[in-house]
Amino acid sequence: MAATHTGDTGLIAGEGAAQCQQMRAVLDRVGEKWSLLAVLALRAQARRFNQLRRDLHGVSPRMLARTLRGLERDGLVSRQVYPTVPPQVDYALTELGQSMLAPVDALLQWGLQQQQPMDAARAAFDARNHDEDESPA
């Protein structure tokens, strides 16, 4: 029997949908491949673009620039340009970005603690469904 949602959230249906959409935007930002890694790289101190690029092995300059722009747009990262030749640019977590670290750390810890049970559940699921995948339609 499928699990059902009781709807007992204390929210009016429209409010719940609006909050889910807002949360989706937050999760989309955090869930992007390089966003979380960039935030974690900026945890201790501000960094220049090339420092971040070295810290985030495998990120292209274009993707890093795009990621940092998105984080800046969301208010998680600040960008400070210094009038030098060539211009120097530092990226740092804002107060809002810093406030994200505790929930992210909790999620990372949960993920590390639950990795083995999840791997076991996937293996069991795959074993149960292996025959179904190979049966003719």
Side-chain angles (χ1 to χ4, degrees):
M1 175 176 245
T4 59
H5 178 44
T6 64
D8 187 19
T9 62
L11 295 175
I12 299 171
E15 289 176 359
Q19 286 185 344
C20 284
Q21 287 178 334
Q22 291 171 341
M23 181 53 87
R24 179 77 258 156
V26 170
L27 292 175
D28 284 347
R29 170 63 58 215
V30 174
E32 283 183 355
K33 181 175 181 176
W34 298 108
S35 290
L36 186 56
L37 294 172
V39 166
L40 293 174
L42 292 169
R43 163 190 296 259
Q45 65 185 19
R47 296 229 191 307
R48 295 209 174 112
F49 186 88
N50 284 328
Q51 289 173 309
L52 280 170
R53 195 164 157 236
R54 283 190 297 274
D55 291 343
L56 305 178
H57 306 285
V59 67
S60 70
R62 181 176 182 266
M63 182 53 70
L64 180 56
R66 192 171 164 200
T67 297
L68 291 169
R69 182 176 289 272
L71 291 168
E72 182 183 8
R73 181 174 182 256
D74 288 343
L76 300 169
V77 168
S78 65
R79 181 177 184 267
Q80 176 68 49
V81 181
Y82 298 97
T84 59
V85 178
Q88 293 180 10
V89 180
D90 282 344
Y91 294 90
L93 290 181
T94 62
E95 188 175 327
L96 181 61
Q98 290 283 343
S99 75
M100 192 172 98
L101 293 174
V104 164
D105 284 342
L107 183 59
L108 289 172
Q109 287 302 312
W110 178 86
L112 291 172
Q113 292 169 355
Q114 303 310 320
Q115 188 62 53
Q116 288 181 339
M118 288 178 74
D119 288 345
R122 284 186 194 115
F125 179 90
D126 292 346
R128 283 191 314 269
N129 292 289
H130 177 72
D131 293 335
E132 292 175 19
D133 293 340
E134 292 184 358
S135 65

